[in-house]
Amino acid sequence: MTDRTHVHAFTDDALGEHDATSLAAAIAAGEISAREAADAAIARAEKVNPALNAIVVTDYDRARTASERPAGGVFAGVPTFIKDNTDIAGLPTGHGSEAVHPKVKATTEPYAEQYLASGMTMLGKTTLPEFGFNATTEFQHLPPTRNPWNTAYSAGASSGGSAALVAAGVVPIAHANDGGGSIRIPAAACGLVGLKLTRGREVQSLQGKQMPVDIVSNNAVTRTVRDTAAFVAAIEQFRPAAKLPGVGKVEGPSERRLRIGLITDSIAGEPTDAETKSAVDDTAALLASLGHDIRDITIPTDQTFVRDFIHYWALMAFSTQHFGGRVTGSPFDKSKTDSLTKGLARQFIRRPWLTPLSIRGLKKSERQYREAFTDLDIVLSPVLGHTTPELGYLSPAAGFDVMFPRLVNYVSFTPLNNAAGGPAMSLPLGRTAGGLPIGVHFSAAHGDERTLLELAFELEAARPFARIQDQVQATG
């Protein structure tokens, strides 16, 4: 169903309004078949993707065949999509870039194997901005991925395509990964649950193996806390993290009351906008009413972190710009990269000697982050410096000098968790006056995803998440 600004695919088909947990249960009980679920998801994708532009590659024939004999697992037969920076045998990987001429991959990369071991049926691959460098899924020359809550607005990034499809009801769960907020940012923009795991919780990504500081985390975006919790338990069953405490299957809130530190402004230089700050303050008030101890704190790092992370970002762009064929494993034309990649690469070239200092600074942030949780259980903050922008505001087509300062102020809270390696979650607990979701950010100590998930269950029950299908009906 659509109106002038809203797009969703919810209808009376085999998927109905199921989340991944209830859909898997219906398939296991024989109420519907995995093939019926796959067919319904494909029909939904074909209905709404022309408006959303969230799918890069479809693999519908293989999906239909696979759904006739679904693999075992907690989400057996549940349809899903994989982000197009992750290799799947038989499909190309384009990394969101016009510079890449993608070759069909011969193998499926290890994290994708871990993801699909939960039993899901893979339907295709989703959009991301060029190499995941941006916080909006927009391109230099191609049409953007649109937010299903309001198609004039960004779906976030870099996992923007996955988030748009889950929010619109095409599938209940989709792959996402996060190198500076790329799970949590699109979750915030699209009204989803987005959990970045502790470094080392999941199988290491191919990108992370190449980095001096591995800032990349893989997981999924979902519409319900229980889906995220069940998925974390599934990947842990596939391969327990050797150096982290187990999470186990989290099925509800804890009775334990938490010490929660509150932060509302970032160190990027601009104050948080009023609607975002209000959503965080309202969440703090709700937590206090539930008996949690809320205390104001300062960010556990300083302004040098911004410099160090930007330089590291620029190092990744430089490596991609000049060694893109080696990075992607496909033919690469560096003249076709976008203004953000080129602009970041130029920044690196101007000050390459900062690299050792930058790497030391990011490693220092892990120590500072750990110290912050000496007498805290959770840190509460905005996900982003302001509400979701309209398309064009962060587009590479605007030019690097225009969009990059905007990008730094927008993505001002999430990168610390990537550098420090700590877990963090975005929950859709706020709304703008125009009805767009606002995500609220929760960070925890290394290895303590259980506390994040328990708190998320409590908040979801106390303030049920808005549903896009209700919003559409309300607005006609």
Side-chain angles (χ1 to χ4, degrees):
M1 178 179 181
T2 65
D3 66 12
R4 286 172 296 178
T5 58
H6 297 81
V7 175
H8 81 76
F10 288 101
T11 190
D12 185 19
D13 59 9
L15 296 184
E17 296 189 350
H18 287 297
D19 66 357
T21 300
S22 63
L23 181 60
I27 293 169
E31 297 170 9
I32 62 171
S33 69
R35 174 61 186 265
E36 288 172 324
D39 284 341
I42 291 166
R44 289 184 177 200
E46 291 175 337
K47 177 183 177 182
V48 302
N49 192 59
L52 298 178
N53 187 38
I55 300 171
V56 179
V57 177
T58 61
D59 200 20
Y60 296 160
D61 288 342
R62 280 204 301 177
R64 289 186 176 106
T65 299
S67 69
E68 297 290 352
R69 287 187 167 183
V74 66
F75 289 147
V78 173
T80 193
F81 282 84
I82 299 284
K83 186 176 174 181
D84 191 32
N85 61 356
T86 301
D87 290 351
I88 298 291
L91 295 179
T93 303
H95 297 277
S97 177
E98 295 178 74
V100 178
H101 301 280
K103 295 192 300 187
V104 171
K105 299 299 180 179
T107 59
T108 295
E109 70 176 77
Y111 176 75
E113 291 178 347
Q114 183 179 34
Y115 181 90
L116 294 171
S118 61
M120 291 184 276
T121 301
M122 206 276 293
L123 303 183
K125 302 183 80 173
T126 60
T127 54
L128 70 155
E130 184 165 275
F131 304 109
F133 292 151
N134 206 342
T136 184
T137 308
E138 296 181 63
F139 309 96
Q140 190 85 36
H141 303 111
L142 301 176
T145 297
R146 297 179 179 274
N147 191 321
W149 288 84
N150 187 324
T151 53
Y153 284 76
S154 169
S158 63
S159 309
S162 291
L165 294 176
V166 174
V170 174
V171 290
I173 181 171
H175 168 238
N177 47 31
D178 192 317
S182 295
I183 294 172
R184 293 158 288 157
I185 293 166
C190 294
L192 303 176
V193 178
L195 172 63
K196 177 221 166 289
L197 298 168
T198 303
R199 183 159 48 223
R201 175 69 69 192
E202 78 279 15
V203 173
Q204 190 176 29
S205 68
L206 296 183
Q207 303 101 311
K209 288 181 178 180
Q210 301 170 9
M211 295 178 174
V213 179
D214 182 3
I215 60 173
V216 177
S217 175
N218 279 278
N219 199 12
V221 285
T222 72
R223 295 191 296 267
T224 63
V225 174
R226 70 177 183 173
D227 279 359
T228 295
F231 182 72
V232 171
I235 64 170
E236 187 171 57
Q237 185 176 16
F238 178 87
R239 193 222 65 171
K243 297 181 180 180
L244 294 171
V247 179
K249 187 173 181 183
V250 183
E251 299 184 276
S254 169
E255 295 184 1
R256 183 166 67 107
R257 299 299 85 184
L258 303 175
R259 302 162 299 171
I260 299 176
L262 173 63
I263 297 168
T264 54
D265 285 324
S266 77
I267 56 174
E270 293 291 328
T272 302
D273 79 300
E275 285 190 305
T276 301
K277 185 176 185 300
S278 177
V280 175
D281 287 340
D282 287 349
T283 301
L286 174 60
L287 289 164
S289 75
L290 294 169
H292 298 284
D293 175 19
I294 310 298
R295 56 188 77 170
D296 291 327
I297 64 168
T298 57
I299 293 176
T301 187
D302 54 40
Q303 187 66 35
T304 60
F305 177 81
V306 177
R307 177 203 66 196
D308 293 337
F309 196 88
I310 288 174
H311 185 79
Y312 198 69
W313 198 354
L315 168 63
M316 291 187 292
F318 172 83
S319 299
T320 302
Q321 179 72 14
H322 293 280
F323 307 102
R326 190 182 309 169
V327 170
T328 66
S330 292
F332 185 82
D333 181 353
K334 69 178 184 180
S335 71
K336 293 184 178 179
T337 57
D338 70 19
S339 68
L340 178 57
T341 301
K342 287 186 174 82
L344 283 167
R346 287 195 302 269
Q347 282 205 353
F348 176 82
I349 291 169
R350 292 187 191 113
R351 298 193 295 176
W353 57 85
L354 283 178
T355 302
L357 182 65
S358 169
I359 291 170
R360 285 198 300 271
L362 297 188
K363 291 180 177 179
K364 176 185 174 184
S365 73
E366 179 174 351
R367 297 192 297 273
Q368 294 171 322
Y369 184 96
R370 289 183 184 277
E371 290 168 2
F373 289 95
T374 302
D375 56 1
L376 289 174
D377 302 300
I378 294 288
V379 171
L380 166 65
S381 75
V383 177
L384 293 155
H386 57 78
T387 58
T388 305
E390 290 189 76
L391 291 167
Y393 183 77
L394 297 175
S395 172
F400 182 79
D401 291 341
V402 171
M403 62 83 65
F404 190 67
R406 294 173 175 176
L407 182 59
V408 171
N409 285 322
Y410 183 52
V411 184
S412 48
F413 291 92
T414 52
L416 176 58
N417 295 83
N418 298 85
M425 175 179 275
S426 175
L427 295 177
L429 293 169
R431 301 283 294 281
T432 69
L436 285 171
I438 298 175
V440 178
H441 199 240
F442 302 84
S443 301
H446 290 80
D448 198 14
E449 285 90 346
R450 170 167 282 272
T451 295
L452 283 174
L453 290 165
E454 288 171 343
L455 183 60
F457 270 113
E458 184 174 16
L459 288 167
E460 184 183 33
R463 184 173 291 168
F465 306 150
R467 306 188 325 156
I468 194 170
Q469 59 268 47
D470 297 336
Q471 175 79 356
V472 172
Q473 291 164 2
T475 59

